[in-house]
Amino acid sequence: MAWIRRVRTASGATAVQIAESVGGRRRIVRHVGSAHDETELGLLMDRARKLLEDDAQGQLDLGLSLPVTRAAMVPAPTQTLFDEPATVPARRPVVAAPQVLRTSSAVLYDALAGVYTDLGLDALEDEVFRDLVIARVVEPTSLLDVDRVLADLGRTSASLSTRKRTLGRCQDGAYRDQIAELCFQHARASGDVSLCLYDVTTLHFEAAEEDALRKVGYSKERRVDPQIIVGLLVDRHGFPLEIGCWEGNKAETHTIVPIIEAFAARHGITDLVVVADAGMLSAANLRALDEAGHTFIVGSKTAKAPIDLISHFRWHGDAFTDGQIIDTVTPKVGKNTDNDPALRREPAWDPEQHPSSWRAVWSYSAKRFARDNKTLTAQENRARAAIEGDKPARTPRFVKTQSDGLVLDEAALARARRLAGLKGFVTNIPATALPAAEVIDSYRDLWHVEQTFRMSKSDLRARPLFARRRDSIEAHLTIVFTALAIARTVQARTGLSLRRFLRQIRPLRSATIEANGAVQTLPPALSSSDQAVLNDLKNGAT
């Protein structure tokens, strides 16, 4: 027995399907289409009912009135013995009513395919890969469900086996290397690639067992599922340039040097400025980048402030003014005497004079101080509650254990409040080449890579991963990497977030109709705002 079912998709549309029960198991017989409003849903439901009544193509009345020639009444002929017999006019066939064959978001597909072409990705000469990437941008879903998304976009999807072979071709054909080269060329033509931003994230798996790649490791979300470490390198505007993955239990600090070296070797770059957060701050990383001829700007840890600002604290105490910047030095390892507290003036870093130190820039913000102080007060309250008998899931900060029980670590709390409002940066760029204010401004661009990661996790839903083999995982990351390039380009050209862009353009439906024996596709009516967005997307390539 067959019936009609309506399913809510992840994008908010309503999919209309015809299902049947075979041997007690449900099977989807036909996907009629996806509706984005009540009008489309009514058309699709009517079409589905007609398909159930008759397996032939049903008819949907569009309200189009086509002229139909009707047969005229002819009086009976009068015939004499010598007259020729009168010819009775033949009845003309009645023209069938027009019908909707299908609707689709072809405008959206064409717009994204245009961006794909503008980035030069057509050089891969793989239409199936292109469709997988565009489907990932529009509505991330499983490889099995891609045909539904592409059908809604007006495309006929390749078979599942062909899609699987495309993932293998993606690895065997070194697609990621080609895409990285094309992305670099686009970024270089659009701006400056001498400064790149780097960060890492984790992607977890719906799997119970570990293997050589998927490992249980440190998770910022405190998950215990197997995961991988993903590193992403972007330009100062967040456009992706390089992506890599490592075992889930690998330390984040061990990822930056391999991906930077691969990027520099691929494009022959010798003077790259790398910006990363404090998680990448390790003596080995900074030394390796410096020896390779690259410069860096890395966030410093607040705990290093008493060492770096020892002269300031001696001569000025812990008083700071809003926006104050202190340009000084920081030891590469441990402590040294490059910053002499007996001297009132902060040392100006010079690679020849201070071979055992890096340049350190510290800034103070009253707004940051208020935020840090609020956080410290909340942490102090949690610590006091734990001391008084509250049993939290883990021991709060500023709680230490003594022989007589838990006590508040007042010295650590006072030290933290003294450093509230401070933010430090470590670099190997001399002040003569880059003033302290520009060091801070360059680091502030780091939010672009964080935004790109959020896009990959939310809009493109790069996780959780269901792939098991490493080549499939790598192919998935290549598709996500390419989709990120398209998404960032859409944002840069239209000024809209990817989600807002899709919400505005996807409901524009093209209709393919059959009338008077002819099949024709009618484009949707575009409002002025819709046309402006599409023009921005197209003209941004020039």
Side-chain angles (χ1 to χ4, degrees):
M1 176 180 179
W3 68 92
I4 302 173
R5 64 193 298 260
R6 294 186 296 182
V7 181
R8 179 70 67 176
T9 66
S11 65
T14 301
V16 178
Q17 301 170 339
I18 297 178
E20 68 175 1
S21 180
V22 179
R25 299 185 65 180
R26 179 185 300 169
R27 184 173 73 90
I28 304 302
V29 177
R30 183 166 183 174
H31 175 76
V32 182
S34 297
H36 294 79
D37 54 40
E38 292 298 328
T39 303
E40 291 184 0
L41 182 59
L43 289 172
L44 292 178
M45 290 296 294
D46 188 35
R47 175 171 169 74
R49 283 190 290 268
K50 292 183 183 298
L51 289 174
L52 279 180
E53 294 172 0
D54 184 2
D55 193 36
Q57 175 65 55
Q59 295 181 352
L60 296 179
D61 186 5
L62 295 179
L64 301 177
S65 57
L66 298 180
V68 180
T69 303
R70 298 182 177 276
M73 297 296 295
V74 181
T78 58
Q79 182 176 354
T80 63
L81 182 62
F82 302 102
D83 292 336
E84 293 292 331
T87 302
V88 178
R91 179 183 291 269
R92 297 184 181 180
V94 178
V95 178
Q99 59 183 349
V100 174
L101 301 180
R102 58 186 173 273
T103 65
S104 65
S105 298
V107 173
L108 176 60
Y109 179 88
D110 293 340
L112 295 177
V115 176
Y116 186 92
T117 301
D118 293 341
L119 294 177
L121 298 171
D122 278 344
L124 297 175
E125 297 182 349
D126 193 329
E127 293 185 359
V128 179
F129 178 80
R130 178 193 60 194
D131 286 354
L132 291 178
V133 170
I134 292 178
R136 171 65 53 177
V137 174
V138 174
E139 185 182 333
T141 185
S142 65
L143 191 66
L144 182 64
D145 196 37
V146 164
D147 55 352
R148 176 187 60 81
V149 179
L150 291 175
D152 187 63
L153 295 174
R155 295 286 296 176
T156 300
S157 174
S159 65
L160 179 60
S161 58
T162 301
R163 283 173 288 190
K164 290 181 178 179
R165 286 195 297 270
T166 300
L167 297 183
R169 191 164 58 248
C170 178
Q171 285 301 103
D172 299 338
Y175 280 15
R176 189 184 300 177
D177 293 339
Q178 300 178 58
I179 294 168
E181 179 64 37
L182 293 170
C183 286
F184 175 78
Q185 293 175 7
H186 173 79
R188 184 172 58 181
S190 304
D192 182 18
V193 293
S194 61
L195 185 144
C196 296
L197 316 174
Y198 178 76
D199 203 357
V200 298
T201 190
T202 57
L203 299 182
H204 68 272
F205 291 78
E206 294 294 337
E209 302 295 332
E210 296 180 298
D211 55 29
L213 177 62
R214 301 177 297 173
K215 298 284 188 181
V216 175
Y218 171 74
S219 172
K220 297 177 182 178
E221 301 167 347
R222 299 187 178 90
R223 303 187 66 95
V224 294
D225 303 304
Q227 64 181 20
I228 60 173
I229 303 292
V230 177
L232 181 65
L233 189 71
V234 305
D235 68 4
R236 64 171 70 237
H237 304 295
F239 187 79
L241 298 173
E242 198 84 26
I243 194 170
C245 76
W246 295 269
E247 296 79 4
N249 58 358
K250 193 178 186 69
E252 293 181 357
T253 54
H254 295 168
T255 65
I256 184 171
V257 174
I259 202 168
I260 295 300
E261 289 180 344
F263 177 76
R266 186 193 309 279
H267 308 296
I269 299 176
T270 57
D271 54 349
L272 181 66
V273 180
V274 183
V275 182
D277 66 9
M280 301 297 109
L281 183 63
S282 74
N285 279 348
L286 302 188
R287 184 177 63 253
L289 291 174
D290 186 67
E291 291 176 352
H294 303 306
T295 52
F296 56 81
I297 301 173
V298 182
S300 184
K301 298 176 181 177
T302 308
K304 299 191 67 176
I307 299 175
D308 299 353
L309 302 177
I310 186 172
S311 296
H312 178 89
F313 285 132
R314 175 177 179 179
W315 295 99
H316 305 283
D318 55 4
F320 296 92
T321 59
D322 188 25
Q324 183 175 355
I325 298 176
I326 302 172
D327 203 337
T328 183
V329 297
T330 184
K332 292 182 178 180
V333 179
K335 298 181 179 180
N336 58 37
T337 59
D338 287 347
N339 193 344
D340 187 358
L343 302 177
R344 189 180 185 117
R345 185 176 181 180
E346 296 289 343
W349 181 75
D350 182 271
E352 301 296 332
Q353 297 180 8
H354 307 102
S356 59
S357 297
W358 299 118
R359 181 187 177 194
V361 176
W362 287 86
S363 68
Y364 178 85
S365 166
K367 184 177 180 180
R368 187 187 301 119
F369 172 82
R371 184 174 62 250
D372 292 349
N373 215 26
K374 182 178 179 180
T375 301
L376 291 172
T377 299
Q379 291 175 338
E380 179 184 359
N381 293 337
R382 285 195 293 268
R384 293 186 182 278
I387 294 172
E388 292 173 1
D390 187 15
K391 294 183 178 180
R394 57 176 183 166
T395 303
R397 187 184 180 189
F398 305 126
V399 173
K400 63 180 181 180
T401 305
Q402 292 185 346
S403 58
D404 55 348
L406 300 178
V407 297
L408 182 67
D409 191 345
E410 296 185 1
L413 178 60
R415 185 167 54 250
R417 290 196 183 278
R418 187 187 189 194
L419 304 177
L422 289 170
K423 177 65 178 178
F425 314 90
V426 179
T427 181
N428 62 343
I429 307 176
T432 54
L434 191 68
E438 294 185 20
V439 171
I440 298 172
D441 289 341
S442 297
Y443 185 86
R444 286 173 179 167
D445 286 337
L446 199 59
W447 69 272
H448 285 295
V449 67
E450 296 171 354
Q451 183 190 56
T452 303
F453 265 135
R454 285 195 298 272
M455 181 186 297
S456 69
K457 293 179 179 179
S458 58
D459 296 333
L460 303 182
R461 269 181 275 163
R463 62 179 187 181
L465 279 173
F466 298 93
R468 177 177 55 86
R469 296 170 51 188
R470 177 155 194 157
D471 55 351
S472 298
I473 295 172
E474 295 280 7
H476 172 80
L477 289 178
T478 301
I479 291 175
V480 171
F481 177 66
T482 312
L484 277 175
I486 294 177
R488 295 299 305 199
T489 303
V490 169
Q491 286 189 337
R493 293 182 181 180
T494 64
L496 300 175
S497 67
L498 179 63
R499 189 168 302 180
R500 288 184 59 190
F501 172 79
L502 294 176
R503 285 178 179 175
Q504 181 171 348
I505 303 302
R506 191 171 187 182
L508 303 177
R509 310 287 291 182
S510 301
T512 301
I513 66 171
E514 182 180 5
N516 199 17
V519 176
Q520 184 178 8
T521 299
L522 303 178
L526 302 180
S527 66
S528 57
S529 60
D530 296 335
Q531 190 63 61
V533 169
L534 294 175
N535 289 341
D536 290 341
L537 192 63
K538 182 177 181 180
N539 297 334
T542 59

